Amino acid sequence: MTRNTHTQRNTPTDTHVDTHTATDTKAADAERLRRWRMVLGADSAESTGRTLTARDAAMDGALTALYESGGRQPGGRGGSGRSAGLGASAPSVARWLGDIRTYFPSSVVQVMQRDAIDRLGLSALLLEPEMLEAVEPDVHLVGTLLSLNKVMPETTKETARAVVRKVVEKLESRLTTRTRTALTGALDRSAKVSRPRHHDIDWNRTIRANLKNYLTLPGEDGAAGTGTVVPERLIGYGRAARSVRKDVILCVDQSGSMAASVVYASVFGAVLASMRALRTRLVVFDTAVVDLTDQLDDPVDVLFGTQLGGGTDINRALAYCQSRITRPADTVVVLISDLYEGGIRDEMLKRVAAMKASGVRFVTLLALSDEGAPAYDRDHATALAALGAPAFACTPDLFPEVMAAAIEKRPVPVPDREAPA
C-alpha cells in the first residue's frame, strides 16, 4: 500500500519532467531548422519549412548579398545561380557593413568583411575614407590596407592610419604586459652573479652546480641519515641594469602571404625596443632589405614603412642581419618567414650555420599569427631544423615565452603539431 501511494505521488512529477523535455526538444528542433534555413538560403531551404522573422530576414539578406553573388559559392548558398551581391556602390557597401555589425558579433563581422574583400573585390572601395570609417578594424584589414598603401590617395591616408592605430593599440594592450614580464624575468635569470644576496639566490641552479658536494649525514645509531648539498658556489639572479644585456634582431618576410605576421612583428618589435635591457633591430625584406629600426618608437610608422607583396630573398636579408651582429653570444635572431626562398638556398643555410656556430641563438617562425597552420616550404624548414634552428608557427600569445627561452638559451617551446615534416 505504501509503495502504491509513493508511485502515484511520483506520477505527476514524471509527467511534468516529460512535458518540459518535450518542450525543450521542440525548441531545439526549431532552432536547428532556423539555422539550417539561414545556412541554405531561400532557394535551397524549402524543406525546412521555416518562416523567417523580420530580424532573421535582415540577417539572411546580409548573408545573401555576400555569399550568393552570381552563384560562385559551390553548394548551399549560391547554388541556385541567381545574381546577388553588394555591387560596386560605396553607399550600398556602407549600409551592408552597418547591417552586419548590427546583426552579428564582432568575430563574425571580421570574417564576413574578409570574405567580402576576397570574394567581391572590395579592396578598391577601401580607398575611400567613408568606407574605412564603416569597417570593423582587425589584423586582416590592416594587412589589406598596407597592400594598398602605395595607391592610396592622400585624402584616405589619415583615415587609414587611424584604423591601423586602433588595431595596433588593441594589440599592444593585449601583448605588452605579458611580453615585458616574461622577458624581464628571462633577462634577470640569464645574468648570473656569483655572490648574490640571499633573496637573489637562484636555488635551482645553485643546487645543480653543487651536486658534486652532496653529503650523507650520519643518522642515529650509525644508520644512514639524510643527505644535503654543500653550496660552495652560489648562483643568483642578476639585477636589471641600464646597460644592454641582449641584442634581438627580428627579420620579417613582407611577402603578401605574411601580412598578419608583419602586423604582429611590428607591434612586438616596438614592445621589445621599449625595454632598456634589449637592443632591438627590425628588418623587413622581399627581394630588397629595409631596416626599420629607427621607426620602432611607433609601430604604425613601421607598418606604413612596409610594402607587402613581391618576391623573397631570405639569403640577402640574413646577410644584412649577420653584418649587424657585434655580440654573437648575446644575440637572438628571429626569422619570420614561410621560407619560400627566391634567393640562394645553400648560401642561406650556410649563413644560419655560421651564425649558430658563432653563438647566435637562431629561431625561425613560419608564421606569427592566429590564422592557424600556415603554408611553408617543408624542405627548407627541415634543413633549418637539422642545423638546430627550430622552425615552427607561433601564435602571438606564445611569442613572449619563445623569446624568453631564446634569451635564457634553453629549449624553445615548439608546438608538436607545427613541427616540420
Side-chain angles (χ1 to χ4, degrees):
M1 188 67 172
T2 305
R3 183 177 300 171
N4 290 339
T5 304
H6 181 72
T7 301
Q8 291 174 357
R9 190 173 295 169
N10 279 343
T11 300
T13 305
D14 294 341
T15 303
H16 182 65
V17 171
D18 290 342
T19 302
H20 273 287
T21 301
T23 301
D24 292 344
T25 301
K26 185 176 181 179
D29 289 343
E31 177 62 16
R32 189 178 300 111
L33 287 175
R34 170 184 173 272
R35 288 175 178 270
W36 272 113
R37 167 62 184 81
M38 300 293 284
V39 169
L40 294 172
D43 292 350
S44 305
E46 292 84 354
S47 60
T48 66
R50 176 73 185 185
T51 301
L52 298 181
T53 64
R55 181 179 177 84
D56 284 349
M59 294 173 68
D60 190 62
L63 292 167
T64 295
L66 175 57
Y67 295 111
E68 294 188 18
S69 180
R72 285 183 289 174
Q73 180 77 358
R77 288 192 168 273
S80 65
R82 68 179 170 134
S83 178
L86 300 176
S89 166
S92 68
V93 176
R95 284 194 299 272
W96 178 80
L97 288 168
D99 287 344
I100 65 174
R101 292 172 76 169
T102 299
Y103 298 120
F104 300 98
S106 178
S107 58
V108 176
V109 169
Q110 293 174 8
V111 172
M112 293 179 72
Q113 285 181 173
R114 184 181 311 178
D115 287 347
I117 292 170
D118 294 341
R119 290 169 54 89
L120 305 181
L122 298 185
S123 297
L125 291 178
L126 293 178
L127 301 178
E128 302 180 20
E130 60 271 21
M131 285 296 301
L132 285 178
E133 292 172 356
V135 296
E136 182 80 16
D138 68 343
V139 171
H140 184 271
L141 178 62
V142 170
T144 301
L145 292 177
L146 296 180
S147 68
L148 298 171
N149 185 27
K150 301 303 178 184
V151 297
M152 191 176 293
E154 291 298 326
T155 54
T156 306
K157 284 189 175 180
E158 284 306 311
T159 306
R161 287 183 70 89
V163 171
V164 172
R165 187 168 297 282
K166 184 180 294 186
V167 174
V168 166
E169 288 176 350
K170 185 176 180 179
L171 291 177
E172 283 185 310
S173 66
R174 167 189 160 193
L175 301 171
T176 298
T177 301
R178 182 173 180 177
T179 302
R180 282 180 167 274
T181 300
L183 269 63
T184 298
L187 288 164
D188 286 348
R189 289 188 295 271
S190 67
K192 300 178 183 179
V193 294
S194 58
R195 299 182 64 183
R197 289 175 289 186
H198 178 75
H199 56 276
D200 289 335
I201 296 174
D202 183 342
W203 287 108
N204 288 331
R205 286 183 177 176
T206 296
I207 291 171
R208 284 198 299 270
N210 290 278
L211 284 176
K212 61 182 180 180
N213 300 320
Y214 180 83
L215 297 176
T216 301
L217 301 178
E220 295 181 1
D221 300 327
T226 58
T228 187
V229 173
V230 179
E232 290 184 352
R233 183 166 65 93
L234 297 176
I235 299 174
Y237 300 125
R239 288 285 180 172
R242 294 180 178 273
S243 60
V244 173
R245 294 187 181 278
K246 298 287 182 179
D247 294 340
V248 175
I249 300 177
L250 301 179
C251 185
V252 187
D253 184 345
Q254 62 175 349
S255 57
S257 60
M258 300 296 293
S261 298
V262 170
V263 175
Y264 282 113
S266 299
V267 172
F268 276 119
V271 174
L272 298 179
S274 69
M275 300 180 66
R276 290 180 176 178
L278 293 176
R279 180 164 51 208
T280 304
R281 183 177 296 275
L282 177 64
V283 176
V284 298
F285 67 93
D286 40 40
T287 53
V289 180
V290 180
D291 193 327
L292 298 176
T293 303
D294 60 350
Q295 299 178 38
L296 278 175
D297 59 332
D298 188 345
V300 176
D301 287 341
V302 170
L303 287 170
F304 278 94
T306 63
Q307 184 174 345
L308 293 178
T312 307
D313 193 338
I314 303 173
N315 179 55
R316 174 176 290 186
L318 291 181
Y320 177 83
C321 295
Q322 191 176 20
S323 70
R324 296 299 184 270
I325 296 174
T326 58
R327 304 186 306 158
D330 293 317
T331 298
V332 177
V333 174
V334 182
L335 171 65
I336 304 175
S337 173
D338 54 18
L339 301 179
Y340 288 110
E341 171 66 314
I344 306 172
R345 177 184 186 273
D346 291 343
E347 287 295 319
M348 175 190 75
L349 295 176
K350 286 179 181 178
R351 290 191 189 282
V352 174
M355 281 188 271
K356 284 188 61 61
S358 68
V360 171
R361 191 70 192 273
F362 194 97
V363 178
T364 302
L365 302 183
L366 304 170
L368 178 57
S369 73
D370 288 313
E371 295 183 342
Y376 62 93
D377 189 306
R378 291 181 175 271
D379 289 340
H380 288 163
T382 301
L384 287 171
L387 294 174
F392 58 98
C394 177
T395 64
D397 288 335
L398 181 62
F399 184 77
E401 188 178 344
V402 169
M403 289 301 302
I407 286 172
E408 291 186 73
K409 297 186 177 181
R410 54 182 171 84
V412 297
V414 180
D416 291 338
R417 65 183 182 277
E418 300 295 354

